[in-house]
Amino acid sequence: MFKAAIIALLATSATAFMGTPVAHRAPARSGAISMVVEEELGCTRPLGVWDPQGFITKEPEKFARRRAVERKHGRIAMVAVVGLITHEAGIEFPGYLSKTNDLKFSDVRDGIYGILDVPPAGIAQIIIFIGLIETVVWDGFNYSGDYGTGYFGKSLEGEEKVAKLNIELNNGRAAMAGILGAMADEFITGTTFADKIAAGTWPVGP
């Protein structure tokens, strides 16, 4: 069951790293702000433009950055959800995470507390790696989110590209809610997703 879920997630995930960057227009400080933003990526039905704090009106010049941050967090959350299910399905890297600590990948606990099993040097390596990606490999200030890698090797343009980018944003939003929910649930109940499946208490108890 777990492996089928993983395959389905990987098959339907929308990474949407595209070919030609999508230009973000800086909204004007006028009554036309909402109309301009409605044409931006991520403003999809049924919510459309959803800005309960009024940031678009108060700081329209920061809209592109906030959308880029949302996209990046969504991508991280999608990877986190797939990683959570993969690890709890018992699919792990072979060998040692740390030979110094005699720690294998299979020794790392499932769920949110697994991060506590990773040695400090491992956490440092992760942070350094992310920093290199952000500053050397890809431009962290590229607000379009387009790093020229293509969509599964395919370059998309026009409406098809816009549709894929919107799918990515919406999947990322769902993933952010999903991984936060999984973490909160495990923290409150003390049981992982795999524990609930094994006990027959997911999605609801007997």
Side-chain angles (χ1 to χ4, degrees):
M1 181 184 293
F2 274 126
K3 292 183 180 179
I6 293 165
I7 294 172
L9 278 171
L10 293 175
T12 56
S13 63
T15 53
F17 294 102
M18 300 301 171
T20 305
V22 175
H24 286 271
R25 293 174 296 277
R29 294 181 180 276
S30 68
I33 287 177
S34 295
M35 295 179 62
V36 172
V37 173
E38 283 174 3
E39 298 176 8
E40 291 286 347
L41 294 169
C43 300
T44 54
R45 293 178 295 178
L47 290 178
V49 179
W50 191 67
D51 182 27
Q53 299 298 320
F55 286 120
I56 295 174
T57 303
K58 291 185 290 187
E59 300 175 319
E61 70 280 357
K62 295 182 179 180
F63 175 81
R65 181 184 179 277
R66 289 198 169 108
R67 174 65 81 235
V69 170
E70 178 189 24
R71 181 188 298 110
K72 184 179 295 184
H73 288 179
R75 288 172 175 173
I76 294 170
M78 286 189 280
V79 173
V81 169
V82 174
L84 176 75
I85 295 175
T86 302
H87 195 268
E88 295 197 8
I91 302 173
E92 295 143 351
F93 289 115
Y96 286 87
L97 173 62
S98 173
K99 282 193 173 183
T100 305
N101 296 292
D102 193 30
L103 179 69
K104 295 182 178 180
F105 285 101
S106 57
D107 295 331
V108 177
R109 286 174 287 178
D110 291 337
I112 61 176
Y113 295 107
I115 190 65
L116 301 179
D117 297 333
V118 180
I123 300 294
Q125 288 175 27
I126 293 171
I127 295 173
I128 292 171
F129 175 75
I130 293 173
L132 288 173
I133 292 293
E134 286 276 304
T135 58
V136 178
V137 181
W138 290 332
D139 182 6
F141 295 97
N142 178 1
Y143 291 164
S144 74
D146 179 356
Y147 302 114
T149 58
Y151 178 74
F152 294 104
K154 178 183 177 183
S155 179
L156 302 179
E157 300 296 339
E159 291 300 319
E160 185 179 14
K161 179 176 181 177
V162 171
K164 293 294 185 184
L165 287 170
N166 275 319
I167 288 171
E168 180 193 29
L169 277 166
N170 286 325
N171 284 357
R173 291 164 178 167
M176 285 188 280
I179 195 64
L180 181 60
M183 293 168 65
D185 179 69
E186 184 182 341
F187 181 76
I188 293 169
T189 65
T191 57
T192 66
F193 179 52
D195 293 334
K196 291 179 176 62
I197 290 289
T201 57
W202 186 90
V204 292

